[in-house]
Amino acid sequence: MPSRSTIEGRLARAAVDSFALALGVRCLLLTRDDGKALYAQSPQGADCTFCERLRDSLQLTGLHCRALHAEGVLASERFGGRYTYFCPLGLAFCAAPVIEGGRTTAALIAGPVRSTETDDVLESDALPSPLPAAIEVRLRNGLERIPAMTPQRLHYLSGQLFASAVVVSDSSHEVFLSQSENDQQNYI
């Protein structure tokens, strides 16, 4: 297994920073095996901290981002290098694996992104109904800081995340060929 310094190096941090700051969406570099966040960039506070506070305030059991992202990483490996998934609140995330020494050692995660209206998120089955008024106001304010995207733009965001992961990977040409073959198979 390559040393962590490879995935924690300047190139990986620069890729995370460039992605997040250019596109206005939080980007994380996570280890594959334990889902530990190695580096993150969150422009304009667009992150999941409100989920953590919401989970604690309402004593919810279904809002665990770390497990969700770990599943996203595994799915990105299975589905040819990129994967888009949703949390219980309906917020979108994208994952792309970082390949070192022929295997996935880390992943880039982008999100959260709102692909629905704020009111739709507030009506999620993951939340109690009715929400206490004070919590609804805090949640609404948190959701408004998260970027909204159409499904088409989310698709392009996923492609850009994949490109960033290829740059960080040590076998980028192989990853690109694998993705191209997968795209061809999906087209067929």
Side-chain angles (χ1 to χ4, degrees):
M1 178 175 169
S3 69
R4 283 250 167 110
S5 62
T6 304
I7 57 176
E8 289 181 289
R10 274 194 343 228
L11 181 60
R13 289 191 310 272
V16 168
D17 288 343
S18 294
F19 182 91
L21 297 173
L23 298 170
V25 176
R26 179 181 70 152
C27 187
L28 304 163
L29 175 66
L30 303 178
T31 60
R32 181 202 183 272
D33 295 330
D34 60 8
K36 176 183 172 194
L38 299 173
Y39 188 70
Q41 180 61 257
S42 297
Q44 303 170 11
D47 59 25
C48 290
T49 54
F50 74 90
C51 282
E52 294 167 7
R53 283 180 276 185
L54 181 68
R55 181 182 63 228
D56 295 342
S57 298
L58 297 175
Q59 300 172 349
L60 300 174
T61 58
L63 300 179
H64 295 286
C65 296
R66 191 170 181 168
L68 177 75
H69 296 321
E71 290 174 21
V73 170
L74 295 176
S76 73
E77 286 180 277
R78 276 195 314 269
F79 296 115
R82 63 186 196 180
Y83 184 68
T84 300
Y85 56 99
F86 297 86
C87 77
L89 291 178
L91 301 175
F93 293 86
C94 302
V98 173
I99 311 295
E100 294 183 307
R103 71 180 209 83
T104 300
T105 58
L108 295 179
I109 304 289
V113 172
R114 280 185 300 120
S115 60
T116 62
E117 297 297 322
T118 300
D119 287 336
D120 293 335
V121 175
L122 293 172
E123 294 171 8
S124 165
D125 290 339
L127 299 173
S129 181
L131 275 173
I135 290 177
E136 182 178 340
V137 168
R138 285 189 305 194
L139 181 56
R140 185 178 295 280
N141 289 337
L143 289 169
E144 293 299 324
R145 287 192 295 265
I146 293 175
M149 290 188 181
T150 64
Q152 182 180 23
R153 187 160 174 234
L154 185 59
H155 173 76
Y156 291 129
L157 180 89
S158 174
Q160 195 60 46
L161 186 70
F162 173 74
S164 296
V166 167
V167 168
V168 176
S169 296
D170 70 1
S171 54
S172 59
H173 185 68
E174 292 172 28
V175 172
F176 177 74
L177 289 176
S178 172
Q179 178 64 32
S180 295
E181 289 173 13
N182 190 47
D183 286 345
Q184 288 174 350
Q185 290 301 315
N186 286 338
Y187 179 76
I188 291 170

